[in-house]
Amino acid sequence: MAATDAPRPEPNDSPRLSRFVDFLIRHRIALFLYACVAVAGGIVPASQLTFDQSIESLYAKNNPHLMDYLHSKKLFGGDEFVVLAYTDPELLADEGLDRLEFFVEKLEKIEDVVSIQDLAASMKVGNIPLLDENEILDLYRGLLIGEDEQTTAVILRLQSLNQAKRSRAETIAAIRAVAKDYQFPVHIVGEPVQVHDMFRYVEEDGETLGLWSSVLLIGVILLFFRSLRWVALPILIVHATLIWTKAILVLSGMQLSMVSSMLTSLITIIGVATSIHLTVHFRERRKHADRTEALRQTFIDLGPAIFWTCATTAVGFAALLSSHITPVQSFGIMMALGAMLVLVAAATLLPGGILIGSFSPDPHYAPAEKRLGAGLEHVTNAIERRPRLLGFAALALTLFALAGFMRLRVETDFSKNFRDDSVVVRDLNFVENRLGGSGTWEVNFPAPSADEELDEEFLDRVRDVADQLNALDEPQAETESEPPRPMLTKVLSLPDGFDVLPDSAFFVSVSLERKRKIMDSFQPEFETTLYNPEQGRMRIMLRARERQQSDAKLRAIDQVTEITAGEFGEANATGLFVLLTFLIESLLSDQITSFVLAAIGITTMMTIAFRSLKIGLICLVPNVFPIIIVIGLMGWGGVPINIATAMIASVSMGLTVDSSVHYIAGFRRAQARGLDVNDALRATHQGVGKALVFANIALILGFSVLTLSHFIPLIYFGVLVSVAMLGGLIGNLVLLPLLLRLAEGQSMDDVSSSEAQS
């Protein structure tokens, strides 16, 4: 079908749309005031939005790793351990043990500290006959004391979050306050501390970087349009949307999570992009009309596109409801709600904000805008004259990016979420260098129940398994000449406690029950921490280096489980160390489903919006293109899949669809004026294309502030979102026009003719 025979869309100025726009303009003052009152009323509840700091929430309820972890908590009381380590040259002297004992007494007073393991309690056993001090040191070497016999650790066991009397932040702050007053520098590690610091950095950086990002956005938009009014309006829309969204979340009882920490950034993208499209279009309308009529025509022209942009974005993010992970579902709800509230904010704030007063009323032209127009003209000419070349170039770039998929890796070293010079990493390095490892986990297995007898034969089996675990070494490359490092830095089992008792004639005749009582006298919680006779379950506690990659951790988990199950028939490896290892896998588990549903939802919405299945399918290409580019560049650049990048595909899909809607709407408006395909594309590039470039430049510069974050995933997120926006810009200014030419009947003969003429 020839381009001239293509069906023309109905004009946007339908009677209903015109009446609605007239209503917004007529009641602009009242709507503006109502919106401002709603913003003021939402500030207090919005400020009460909190973070769900539970790692368990980032797993589906039926996830086997989570089920094993929760089962272990029921059996042994949970293992949220905080390790405080320091070096004292006189550690084993009476003075050193006295200092340690006094330090522990202060820590015992902290609420939600359930129990404490320390060297002083174990070493001061003079009232128990025949206990060998060296045996005690060997028992706790690598756990409570280092090889140098000057470094010690105090291990705090915290109350689980659902039973804690106060927040984890308050508990950790109290621990750090006691440690700060100690006479030696104390290094604090443990999975609960890392998780807490992760959320703390996200909150603190979110506030600070959000402020500076807004400042930078203001500067960039001011440079573009040189009008304070048109700088204030997009910032007002973004912050009004954020306040309303957060207030609604608080009132509905929802919380932010690590996944939803991107809420502010994504709302900013939608709000700023919407405002810049309106700004550029209004500026063009002002050439031929007064402010009121220019605004009226701008709303009539862009109103449908803005509605479908917000609705399509909301549907795209709503696809995350298919996830089995509650925070991912919540993030989908938050973003769908936020996208629609951008529409509400624009409708209520912009008419009054644009028409009130005469100060700085109109946006101006940006510096070098003529050059930008000339550059976009060159792009249009290239699309018209060299479509095959551009198509092959896009295909080659896509294939190159797809090859990068093979190089992707998952980051499970939780310390990689922090800068190398951070306190978190410094403390981890101290503990891993002086005490072997900071990752605490376990393997549990069936054991004699209360109705059965725990005997020496069973303990020998446990001892044999522990010896096998101790013997595990990390695999080495053939070129490495150093001796292999142990895979586990500490293996602690119930027989280890009994082995402290001297193998003398006095003890030979003592029953195992008596030995258990003697052990309990100088380390009361040793047995109960490792053995639950009521449930017939026992565990071996393990320590490993936290700072290692996923393949090493997964290998250790598999081998520990295999060896233990080989002896006892069944075994479960679990603990926060294990949960953090599988965390990214959990977040990725249903992202393919969510992505497919998002693609279907966006295609459906675009089909409805433009009354064409062909257009709906075409829109997928420029929206999938940046996702392939981003993920491929992650592989080629060695950027790991971490907490912030695990959902980059879903996030990118929600970002780039806005530009596609505006571009196609602009193309249809140009066609409605009687322009042919090439002229319509040229007009769209000069109008919508400029708005796309302005919005992308402003947002990329705004997100550059994220590179200053203390939290590495936020840095990756800022960079990758910028790459996604650039990829989306290329997709919507190059690929989408190419596909629209084909969809509108541009034959390959015409393409060949254009290339021959060029």
Side-chain angles (χ1 to χ4, degrees), residues 51-59 161 195 199 257 327:
F51 270 93
D52 178 0
Q53 298 193 13
S54 168
I55 287 296
E56 297 98 299
S57 68
L58 296 177
Y59 279 82
L161 277 172
V195 171
F199 284 99
S257 69

Side-chain angles (χ1 to χ4, degrees), residues 347-391:
T348 56
L349 291 170
L350 284 180
I354 292 172
L355 297 179
I356 291 174
S358 58
F359 174 71
S360 187
D362 294 333
H364 297 279
Y365 286 88
E369 188 163 340
K370 288 185 178 179
R371 292 184 180 179
L372 173 61
L376 291 171
E377 180 72 18
H378 287 311
V379 173
T380 311
N381 291 336
I383 292 170
E384 181 179 346
R385 297 173 182 175
R386 300 184 182 277
R388 287 185 174 179
L389 178 62
L390 292 175

Side-chain angles (χ1 to χ4, degrees), residues 338-558:
M340 296 310 297
L341 286 176
V342 167
L343 184 66
V344 176
T348 56
L349 291 170
L350 284 180
I354 292 172
L355 297 179
I356 291 174
S358 58
F359 174 71
S360 187
D362 294 333
H364 297 279
Y365 286 88
E369 188 163 340
K370 288 185 178 179
R371 292 184 180 179
L372 173 61
L376 291 171
E377 180 72 18
H378 287 311
V379 173
T380 311
N381 291 336
I383 292 170
E384 181 179 346
R385 297 173 182 175
R386 300 184 182 277
R388 287 185 174 179
L389 178 62
L390 292 175
F392 283 129
L395 178 61
L397 182 58
T398 301
L399 293 175
F400 174 77
L402 286 171
F405 281 42
M406 306 301 294
R407 302 168 64 93
L408 288 170
R409 63 182 179 85
V410 174
E411 182 63 82
T412 60
D413 179 355
F414 207 71
S415 67
K416 293 294 186 181
N417 291 323
F418 308 95
R419 291 183 180 271
D420 288 339
D421 59 353
S422 68
V423 174
V424 177
V425 175
R426 184 194 67 194
D427 289 352
L428 271 173
N429 286 337
F430 177 88
V431 172
E432 300 226 328
N433 292 333
R434 300 293 186 93
L435 290 167
S438 61
T440 303
W441 51 302
E442 69 175 73
V443 58
N444 62 70
F445 46 89
S449 64
D451 298 332
E452 301 170 318
E453 183 179 355
L454 179 66
D455 54 24
E456 292 286 358
E457 181 183 353
F458 185 83
L459 293 179
D460 285 339
R461 294 170 62 194
V462 175
R463 190 178 286 109
D464 180 64
V465 168
D467 289 341
Q468 292 183 59
L469 299 182
N470 263 315
L472 290 175
D473 288 330
E474 294 180 356
Q476 285 189 302
E478 295 180 0
T479 56
E480 293 184 9
S481 57
E482 296 181 1
R485 295 196 307 177
M487 183 176 287
L488 303 170
T489 60
K490 184 65 179 178
V491 177
L492 186 65
S493 64
L494 187 59
D496 292 326
F498 301 143
D499 290 343
V500 174
L501 305 178
D503 187 14
S504 66
F506 176 81
F507 277 93
V508 167
S509 60
V510 176
S511 66
L512 178 59
E513 187 63 29
R514 177 59 180 160
K515 291 181 181 180
R516 292 165 69 178
K517 289 181 179 179
I518 295 173
M519 185 68 202
D520 185 62
S521 65
F522 74 95
Q523 199 61 272
E525 294 194 359
F526 186 87
E527 181 174 329
T528 57
T529 300
L530 298 173
Y531 179 39
N532 185 331
E534 286 73 23
Q535 298 297 322
R537 205 77 183 176
M538 186 178 288
R539 66 176 174 175
I540 298 174
M541 297 299 297
L542 310 168
R543 290 279 286 274
R545 279 175 286 276
E546 176 65 43
R547 308 205 68 188
Q548 54 181 325
Q549 286 301 320
S550 59
D551 55 348
K553 292 183 177 181
L554 293 173
R555 191 181 301 109
I557 293 169
D558 289 342

Side-chain angles (χ1 to χ4, degrees), residues 329-341:
Q329 295 174 347
S330 300
F331 176 60
I333 294 172
M334 293 175 191
M335 282 308 306
L337 175 63
M340 296 310 297
L341 286 176

Side-chain angles (χ1 to χ4, degrees), residues 133-198:
E133 180 178 294
N134 291 326
E135 292 284 352
I136 296 174
L137 290 178
D138 287 341
L139 174 65
Y140 292 114
R141 198 175 305 278
L143 185 68
L144 299 180
I145 187 169
E147 291 292 339
D148 59 5
E149 296 194 351
Q150 295 182 355
T151 301
T152 188
V154 178
I155 302 177
L156 311 184
R157 186 176 184 179
L158 304 184
Q159 185 67 266
S160 61
L161 277 172
N162 59 341
Q163 297 179 346
K165 296 180 181 178
R166 56 180 179 175
S167 70
R168 184 63 81 235
E170 291 174 314
T171 301
I172 292 176
I175 293 171
R176 283 179 164 153
V178 172
K180 185 179 179 181
D181 292 336
Y182 197 51
Q183 67 186 86
F184 299 108
V186 178
H187 302 268
I188 305 174
V189 301
E191 282 85 357
V193 176
Q194 293 181 69
V195 171
H196 164 264
D197 285 341
M198 173 184 71

